[in-house]
């Protein structure tokens, strides 16, 4: 059992003012393996005081200076990639070999923000006005457990690039990669107070972080329910709020698409990370004429995926991130059955041979109507709803019939046709004909999936103010 009894505030590891600890469990074994300290409101105040004190000097550094720190921090993270993958795998169940790719590869995207720092020095003369960019200020960051390092980097890297200072609180389910990150920050000698890390429960610390008078901006990734509350709380002081929330993403497979390829892509897209991916394509829309064939392919692919020990090199799908999340997913599976959907594969039973741990079978439902709860609400588990449609207009209408608008997918006979359909779908992203994930592309949602964009060149826009000087 590892004990982490310090917070990282003002460039130092300090004992918390708060008492109590949060236990970190391995969801594959249900055993506790680490304990982190809980910050209290005094610790929140100390962290914001440090971030505020650091802001004037940090915000006046040149882009070249900040780029230099980002490159050093990137190198320090590269050295820690194995430790990061292990920490994430042990705390949320992503298979270790897969975690190295889908959880930790984002480290390479960190360095790109070194170049983006220079965008802060772009100035524009507009008639008699000089228009300049300035950092938004002190940021409060709150991240979830499903891609904990990716979400950290998506916030911290642009904040550093633009000259902001920050206070970060990770999910209490997965605090360990943030502690490793803070160790890297300490190693490279980032000016004190620029990056501050506090650990503890969101339900306890969340309000203080979001409403803190020293926070100029709140950037939150997590559930839509928590995001809604954060936006309401932050409204009081008109803080800038950037929200990356939930999704229920549709995947339209057209009549003339290569069905085997498209369905295989769709099933693996959802099952990776045990369905705990905000952009997972969980509603598979299939032409009625090809529905039987598609369900058979989906069944075969899902049943071929190895579910089990995250430390086993052959495992494709580990456990859910926690026993609580397993319960949530099982309730949704039961709800689907109650509402009349039929199982193609998976269901409520434990996967064979896995008598403990937060495991769920890869589950596929057929005969799903888009109005069913399992097609409307984010399950955040390895569950796919296969929904038949009769023509493309209907498919697009079903795709858009959601309160969410985070991501989507299309597989058509040609890329051109895929792009045409993608333009009709009201989502912040779309994967056309199996396109790859791209760290340099902006990520964010329409509708109740949030506001603002992270990553890529657009990812720094949230972090600056614009000033016009009339000359
Ligand atoms: P969550 O909302 O329960 O928790 C997210 C974070 O908020 C955690 O750090 C938690 O401690 C904190 N928190 C909890 N209560 C709070 C409160 N009252 N005030 C402030 N903070 C509080 O979400 P989760 O279960 O950790 O993550 C899964 C969700 O995140 C899913 O809905 C998923 O779709 C979403 N997500 C979205 C994106 C995106 O980019 N749009 C990416 C990943 C995950």
């Amino acid at each position: 059992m590892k004990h982490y009894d310090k917070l990282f505030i003002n460039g130092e590891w300090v004992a918390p003012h708060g008492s109590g600890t949060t236990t970190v469990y391995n969801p594959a074994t249900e055993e506790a393996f680490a304990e982190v300290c809980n910050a209290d409101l005094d610790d929140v105040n100390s962290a914001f005081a440090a971030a505020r004190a650091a802001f004037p000097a940090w915000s006046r550094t040149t882009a070249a200076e900040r780029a230099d720190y980002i490159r050093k921090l990137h190198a320090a993270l590269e050295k820690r990639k194995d430790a990061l993958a292990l920490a994430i795998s042990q705390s949320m169940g992503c298979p270790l070999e897969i975690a190295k790719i889908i959880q930790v590869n984002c480290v390479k995207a960190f360095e790109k923000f070194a170049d983006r720092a220079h965008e802060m020095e772009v100035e524009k003369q507009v008639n008699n006005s000089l228009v300049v960019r300035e950092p938004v200020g002190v940021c409060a960051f709150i991240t979830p457990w499903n891609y904990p390092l990716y979400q950290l980097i998506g916030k911290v890297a642009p904040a550093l690039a633009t000259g902001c200072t920050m206070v970060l609180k990770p999910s209490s389910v997965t605090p360990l990669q943030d502690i490793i990150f803070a160790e890297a920050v300490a190693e490279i000698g980032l000016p004190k107070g620029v990056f501050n890390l506090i650990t503890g429960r969101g339900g306890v610390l969340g309000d203080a972080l979001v409403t803190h008078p020293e926070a100029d901006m709140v950037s939150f990734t997590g559930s839509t329910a928590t995001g809604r509350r954060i936006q309401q709380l932050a409204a009081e002081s008109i803080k800038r709020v950037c929200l990356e929330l939930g999704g229920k993403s549709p995947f339209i497979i057209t009549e003339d698409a290569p069905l085997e390829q498209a369905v295989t892509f769709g099933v693996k897209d959802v099952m990776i990370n045990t369905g705990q991916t905000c952009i997972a394509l969980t509603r598979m829309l299939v032409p009625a004429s090809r529905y039987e064939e598609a369900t058979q392919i989906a069944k075969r692919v899902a049943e071929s995926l190895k579910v089990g020990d995250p430390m086993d090199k052959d495992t494709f799908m580990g456990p859910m991130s926690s026993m609580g999340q397993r319960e949530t997913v099982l309730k949704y599976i039961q709800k689907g059955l109650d509402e009349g959907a039929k199982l193609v594969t998976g269901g409520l039973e434990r996967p064979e041979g896995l008598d403990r741990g937060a495991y769920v079978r890869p589950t596929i439902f057929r005969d799903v109507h888009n109005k069913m709860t399992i097609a409307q609400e984010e399950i955040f588990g390895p569950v796919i709803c296969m929904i038949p449609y009769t023509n493309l207009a209907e498919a697009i209408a079903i795709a858009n019939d959601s309160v969410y608008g985070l991501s989507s997918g299309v597989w058509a006979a040609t890329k051109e046709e895929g792009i045409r359909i993608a333009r009709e779908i009201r989502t912040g992203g779309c994967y056309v004909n199996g396109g790859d994930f791209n760290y340099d592309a902006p990520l964010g949602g329409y509708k109740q999936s949030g506001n603002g964009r992270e990553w890529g060149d657009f990812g720094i826009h949230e972090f600056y103010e614009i000033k016009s000087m009339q000359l």
Side-chain angles (χ1 to χ4, degrees):
M1 184 95 156
K2 286 188 184 160
H3 297 273
Y4 300 91
D5 58 357
K6 301 241 167 43
L7 306 170
F8 188 72
I9 296 178
N10 207 24
E12 283 172 15
W13 291 101
V14 294
H17 179 266
S19 57
T21 55
T22 299
T23 305
V24 184
Y25 291 90
N26 182 334
T29 60
E30 300 179 45
E31 283 164 11
F33 73 99
E35 210 170 48
V36 297
C37 56
N38 288 344
D40 72 1
L41 300 187
D42 283 334
D43 297 314
V44 172
N45 286 335
S46 302
F48 276 108
R52 175 57 65 196
F55 181 68
W58 179 246
S59 63
R60 285 190 208 107
T61 51
T62 63
E65 285 170 311
R66 294 194 301 279
D68 193 41
Y69 280 116
I70 291 173
R71 291 201 178 94
K72 283 187 185 138
L73 197 42
H74 171 247
L77 290 175
E78 284 286 343
K79 281 195 308 195
R80 292 168 166 81
K81 274 168 98 171
D82 286 345
L84 288 163
L86 185 64
I88 295 170
S89 179
Q90 283 183 328
S91 54
M92 56 74 68
C94 183
L96 183 61
E97 292 307 312
I98 294 179
K100 288 178 184 169
I101 302 163
I102 66 170
Q103 298 279 356
V104 177
N105 251 349
C106 59
V107 164
K108 70 179 181 201
F110 191 83
E111 196 181 19
K112 299 273 183 84
F113 285 89
D115 293 331
R116 293 186 182 117
H118 295 280
E119 273 194 52
M120 288 302 285
E121 293 177 346
V122 172
E123 300 185 350
K124 197 172 178 190
Q125 189 83 34
V126 183
N127 302 330
N128 64 319
S129 300
L130 178 65
V131 180
V132 300
R133 297 169 181 189
E134 293 182 353
V136 67
V138 175
C139 306
F141 293 151
I142 303 175
T143 52
W145 44 257
N146 61 332
Y147 288 91
L149 181 66
Y150 168 83
Q151 282 124 9
L152 176 159
I153 291 180
K155 298 184 194 307
V156 173
L160 291 175
T162 50
C164 295
T165 61
M166 64 215 82
V167 176
L168 169 64
K169 193 208 78 64
S171 165
S172 47
V173 178
T174 51
L176 303 184
Q177 68 293 318
D178 288 44
I179 293 171
I180 296 171
F181 183 87
E183 286 165 1
V185 167
E187 180 183 288
I188 66 142
L190 190 71
K192 62 180 193 175
V194 171
F195 172 86
N196 303 277
L197 174 69
I198 56 171
T199 46
R201 302 237 168 240
V204 177
L205 301 175
D207 287 13
L209 280 164
V210 171
T211 60
H212 203 283
E214 294 295 355
D216 297 299
M217 171 186 176
V218 179
S219 178
F220 168 80
T221 302
S223 62
T224 294
T226 310
R228 186 174 291 117
R229 179 175 165 75
I230 285 174
Q231 179 132 4
Q232 283 164 351
L233 287 174
E236 194 59 38
S237 58
I238 323 288
K239 285 188 205 312
R240 182 174 301 181
V241 178
C242 179
L243 300 173
E244 302 290 346
L245 309 176
K248 192 74 198 179
S249 302
F251 176 32
I252 299 179
I253 300 175
T254 66
E255 187 91 43
D256 46 6
L259 200 63
E260 177 80 31
Q261 228 181 328
V263 173
T264 303
F265 167 83
V267 172
K268 289 187 175 171
D269 173 86
V270 173
M271 301 308 168
I272 199 142
N273 214 35
T274 322
Q276 302 161 121
T277 303
C278 54
I279 55 174
L281 304 171
T282 49
R283 291 185 293 146
M284 188 183 284
L285 277 48
V286 182
S289 59
R290 307 194 72 183
Y291 196 64
E292 293 307 322
E293 197 188 341
T295 52
Q296 287 316 307
I297 297 169
K299 178 177 164 66
R300 175 164 38 80
V301 175
E303 289 175 0
S304 74
L305 302 175
K306 184 167 186 316
V307 182
D309 182 358
M311 294 299 134
D312 182 341
K313 278 188 163 47
D314 297 330
T315 298
F316 183 85
M317 209 178 94
M320 306 301 307
S321 62
S322 64
M323 293 302 279
Q325 190 62 18
R326 176 175 187 269
E327 282 310 305
T328 304
V329 171
L330 293 181
K331 275 187 194 146
Y332 273 113
I333 295 175
Q334 184 61 57
K335 184 86 182 161
L337 294 169
D338 294 345
E339 288 185 342
K342 302 272 182 310
L343 284 171
V344 173
T345 186
L348 296 163
E349 296 80 32
R350 282 184 162 275
E352 224 165 287
L354 297 168
D355 299 333
R356 62 170 188 167
Y359 291 99
V360 175
R361 285 175 184 256
T363 296
I364 298 180
F365 276 113
R366 59 170 294 157
D367 300 346
V368 180
H369 188 280
N370 199 52
K371 292 293 181 209
M372 287 180 183
T373 308
I374 54 167
Q376 286 292 325
E377 295 185 9
E378 185 185 49
I379 299 174
F380 225 51
V383 183
I384 295 177
C385 296
M386 296 188 74
I387 305 175
Y389 70 84
T390 48
N391 58 56
L392 204 49
E394 189 197 3
I396 292 166
I398 295 172
N400 286 328
D401 179 18
S402 171
V403 295
Y404 293 112
L406 187 56
S407 189
S408 58
V410 176
W411 205 306
T414 64
K415 194 166 69 183
E416 291 65 34
E417 174 65 355
I419 293 171
R420 196 191 67 70
I421 298 167
R423 289 184 197 277
E424 303 275 330
I425 307 175
R426 300 282 300 161
T427 53
C430 188
Y431 290 81
V432 177
N433 290 11
D436 280 339
F437 185 81
N438 177 5
Y439 289 109
D440 290 327
L443 190 139
Y446 289 14
K447 303 196 263 182
Q448 291 184 31
S449 290
N451 56 41
R453 293 292 177 271
E454 288 187 334
W455 298 95
D457 292 342
F458 287 92
I460 70 163
H461 292 195
E462 311 296 327
F463 290 86
Y464 58 74
E465 295 277 14
I466 305 256
K467 177 179 279 175
S468 63
M469 296 179 233
Q470 283 55 250
L471 310 174

